[in-house]
Amino acid sequence: MKKIFVFAFMALCLSNSASAQTYSILIKGGHVIDPKNNIDEVMDVAIADGKIVKVAKNIGGTAKQTVDAKGLYVTPGLIDIHSHNFFGTAPDHQYENGNLALPPDGFTFRNGVTTVVDAGSSGWRTFTTFKEQTIDQSQTRVLAFLNIVGEGMRGGYEQNLNDMDTRMSALMANRFKKYIVGFKVAHYEGHDWSPVDRAVAAGKAAGDIPVMIDFGGSQPPLPIEELFMQHLRPGDIFTHCFAQINGREYIVDQQTQKVKPFVWEARKRGIYFDVGYGGISFAFSQAIPAAKEGFFPSSISTDIHTGSMNNAMKDMLTTMSKFLAIGMDLKSVIKASTSNPAMEIKHEELGNLSVGAEADVAVLNIRKGKFGLFDYTGRKVETDKKLECELTVRAGKIVYDLNGIANPITIR
């Protein structure tokens, strides 16, 4: 009888201890979508010491801040793997220390984005400046694809084959493994595979990290079947995948309105297809026929800069909403904005709500109404729903709260 009493007493103590747990943030009653962990239901999320400590139904205990997420969606912090953040004052440098790039914190948290990957704004010659002035100063996690051009994304300078140095690029990537996730080929207009081959060689030399390809355009266009099958490796990334502009071959055949057969083969081979929306690098005339066949992007990204954010693209959530509008289901949209991009950049510790993961969380609303989503050609898709960010947690701290749903409200 004594043993039964002791066991019962111990169980009661353990139960009281669990219920007395104190968290820094407790997000209550939201519909959690965490594709990596296959969670898609109403649950609570508990955060302590900057980490996810529990994801379960009806979590007890107290919290310094409680977030009422009833009727909202709770997801991992979004990852935008194509952005331009090497902002500066040099008037002729465009995206490399120039005025076309954006400071990340002003445009991330209000969209639920907690991680950005700068897509080739810096090269091996300029990365340390980018790190000191942007990466080290930002609350947003900033990673980078290093441009194969040593100077980075300086407009016409990107045509300079003499500054595409495989060895020096790989050395810089190996020195800054924490931040550099791959290499980028961008805006090259020559009918020449040298930039791609040098970037791939750098990727191999830097520990087999991926390459992201943005074809600037050439006449005649370089054949993307040759790119996918002969030059890229499984795990490399084709960005601007729904572009329809001169100088680039399209993935959808405009005569048949079908995705070209070799594109499906490339996906099977392990090539990733990234949106990289940008100013003129997304067209519904490519995305809608592809969607009808079930060909959706591996990752959704913005290619955000001063031009695209004020044009058709707008921001990450508008871009995601466009894919909802053309038939991609919500869980797949979230996956393409969280765990998939994390996998593509080989940082699978990101983009999920696993216990022990750094607490990057987005609380999203699906706003109902009448919305017009258009591309740069003026084609418009009407929809009755649009994603909106209610609250963002970065590294265990609330960094954005649209309507004051945290109690107490964060005042900074």
Side-chain angles (χ1 to χ4, degrees):
M1 187 71 182
K2 281 185 177 181
K3 285 184 179 180
I4 294 173
F5 177 79
V6 169
F7 285 140
F9 179 74
M10 288 176 65
L12 180 63
C13 288
L14 288 171
S15 174
N16 288 338
S17 173
S19 65
Q21 175 74 50
T22 299
Y23 306 106
S24 55
I25 301 171
L26 184 56
I27 303 172
K28 296 286 292 180
H31 186 138
V32 176
I33 300 180
D34 178 7
K36 182 174 181 178
N37 292 303
N38 200 31
I39 299 172
D40 186 6
E41 59 182 312
V42 173
M43 302 186 90
D44 297 343
V45 177
I47 296 167
D49 300 319
K51 306 288 185 182
I52 303 292
V53 294
K54 195 171 187 180
V55 180
K57 291 183 177 295
N58 303 315
I59 297 175
T62 61
K64 294 177 182 177
Q65 285 182 292
T66 301
V67 175
D68 180 6
K70 186 176 181 181
L72 303 173
Y73 292 93
V74 179
T75 77
L78 307 181
I79 302 173
D80 185 353
I81 65 164
H82 190 146
S83 66
H84 291 289
N85 304 110
F86 193 178
F87 66 99
T89 57
D92 61 342
H93 282 217
Q94 296 193 356
Y95 305 95
E96 181 265 305
N97 204 18
N99 58 3
L100 300 185
L102 298 166
D105 292 350
F107 306 93
T108 49
F109 299 145
R110 61 187 51 243
N111 266 265
V113 174
T114 53
T115 300
V116 296
V117 186
D118 184 274
S121 302
S122 66
W124 70 266
R125 296 181 192 275
T126 56
F127 176 76
T128 53
T129 301
F130 176 51
K131 178 180 180 298
E132 290 166 5
Q133 75 180 49
T134 302
I135 294 176
D136 294 347
Q137 306 302 321
S138 300
Q139 285 184 279
T140 308
R141 181 187 292 103
V142 181
L143 306 173
F145 286 102
L146 200 67
N147 202 312
I148 193 59
V149 179
E151 281 288 312
M153 200 170 285
R154 278 184 57 185
Y157 189 87
E158 292 170 87
Q159 309 309 311
N160 187 356
L161 284 169
N162 292 326
D163 199 28
M164 299 182 188
D165 191 316
T166 293
R167 177 177 170 274
M168 294 304 296
S169 297
L171 284 171
M172 185 59 71
N174 282 322
R175 179 182 170 191
F176 291 103
K177 287 180 179 291
K178 181 179 178 181
Y179 305 105
I180 297 173
V181 301
F183 294 97
K184 174 82 180 293
V185 174
H187 304 162
Y188 185 67
E189 295 176 357
H191 194 74
D192 186 343
W193 292 107
S194 295
V196 173
D197 293 339
R198 293 182 195 184
V200 169
K204 291 176 180 176
D208 205 32
I209 57 178
V211 167
M212 175 182 276
I213 301 297
D214 160 12
F215 273 155
S218 63
Q219 293 296 341
L222 287 167
I224 55 174
E225 182 174 13
E226 184 177 344
L227 172 71
F228 298 152
M229 302 306 184
Q230 298 181 35
H231 295 273
L232 297 185
R233 304 157 295 168
D236 287 334
I237 304 161
F238 182 64
T239 195
H240 303 322
C241 66
F242 298 113
Q244 187 175 312
I245 58 177
N246 291 334
R248 301 182 195 175
E249 183 183 356
Y250 318 147
I251 67 167
V252 170
D253 186 312
Q254 288 298 280
Q255 299 300 315
T256 65
Q257 290 291 287
K258 299 289 185 182
V259 174
K260 296 173 182 177
F262 67 79
V263 174
W264 291 102
E265 290 302 314
R267 169 160 278 180
K268 288 179 185 176
R269 183 172 178 257
I271 302 300
Y272 295 123
F273 291 83
D274 175 59
V275 174
Y277 195 113
I280 59 171
S281 291
F282 173 93
F284 279 127
S285 55
Q286 287 287 301
I288 290 174
K292 288 179 179 177
E293 289 192 75
F295 188 95
F296 291 109
S298 314
S299 52
I300 295 172
S301 65
T302 63
D303 184 15
I304 192 169
H305 48 76
T306 58
S308 63
M309 65 174 284
N310 291 319
N311 206 317
M313 189 279 293
K314 303 294 189 299
D315 52 37
M316 184 68 170
L317 291 178
T318 301
T319 303
M320 293 164 66
S321 296
K322 289 181 180 181
F323 285 92
L324 281 177
I326 65 173
M328 196 172 182
D329 67 85
L330 179 60
K331 186 176 181 181
S332 297
V333 167
I334 299 302
K335 184 176 183 180
S337 309
T338 56
S339 56
N340 268 13
M343 174 186 64
E344 290 177 30
I345 62 173
K346 298 188 176 183
H347 277 267
E348 294 188 71
E349 75 278 9
L350 305 177
N352 63 78
L353 300 176
S354 302
V355 171
E358 190 160 31
D360 290 353
V361 184
V363 180
L364 306 177
N365 180 34
I366 294 185
R367 187 178 175 188
K368 297 299 179 70
K370 184 178 180 181
F371 307 104
L373 304 172
F374 58 91
D375 66 14
Y376 86 100
T377 71
R379 182 170 178 178
K380 185 169 77 170
V381 171
E382 293 189 349
T383 182
D384 62 354
K385 56 185 179 292
K386 190 175 181 183
L387 288 163
E388 183 175 72
C389 180
E390 285 287 344
L391 180 139
T392 304
V393 177
R394 165 75 183 104
K397 295 181 180 179
I398 294 172
V399 291
Y400 179 78
D401 187 348
L402 180 64
N403 289 301
I405 61 173
N407 183 26
I409 295 171
T410 300
I411 302 295
R412 293 188 295 155

